[in-house]
Amino acid sequence: MVDSIINYKLRSVSDWNVAVTVDIVIPTELPIEIVDLSTILTNLLDNAVQALQKTDGKRELKIAMTYRKGMLFIAVKNTYPGKVHYENGEIVTTKEDTESHGYGLKNVESAAEKYHGICQLHHNDVYFDAEVALYL
């Protein structure tokens, strides 16, 4: 399922000259509900793809997943235009229709909390990095 999600989401960047790195070392079966893993992956990848679409110059996307000692680690790092919008200390959507958008990262955080995990976001002027750790 992980491969299917990643392949589907990466179809759109194939013509954009994006340097893609995928490093996944996980067992075939994981003790996580498919809907939760899908929520995390699809939202993180959607955000990364949308940021890459707006990025001029170098475009990079790195996806990593590992499973060790009962913990699943998911990391998505991408280049982006360098601007992140905040309200009240939280990242908010840059889309005009704020009623219909802006729920992705909240959904990732909710899924992570379900597994007593965390979602951490970091960025500088070039890279946006989303990391999720789940206790399975």
Side-chain angles (χ1 to χ4, degrees), residues 29-100:
E29 299 290 324
L30 288 168
I32 183 173
E33 290 183 37
I34 290 172
V35 68
D36 295 324
L37 184 56
S38 177
T39 294
I40 293 168
L41 278 177
T42 57
N43 281 294
L44 294 181
L45 291 174
D46 283 346
N47 289 348
V49 167
Q50 289 167 14
L52 287 166
Q53 187 176 23
K54 298 174 186 175
T55 301
D56 295 324
K58 178 174 71 169
R59 292 179 172 165
E60 293 179 31
L61 174 62
K62 298 176 184 178
I63 305 164
M65 294 180 68
T66 57
Y67 182 74
R68 289 189 307 263
K69 298 181 182 180
M71 289 193 71
L72 178 63
F73 300 95
I74 303 168
V76 177
K77 182 176 185 175
N78 56 276
T79 51
Y80 80 113
K83 292 183 181 177
V84 178
H85 297 269
Y86 285 89
E87 282 183 18
N88 301 321
E90 292 189 11
I91 295 175
V92 295
T93 186
T94 57
K95 296 179 181 166
E96 288 185 28
D97 182 7
T98 58
E99 293 294 320
S100 301

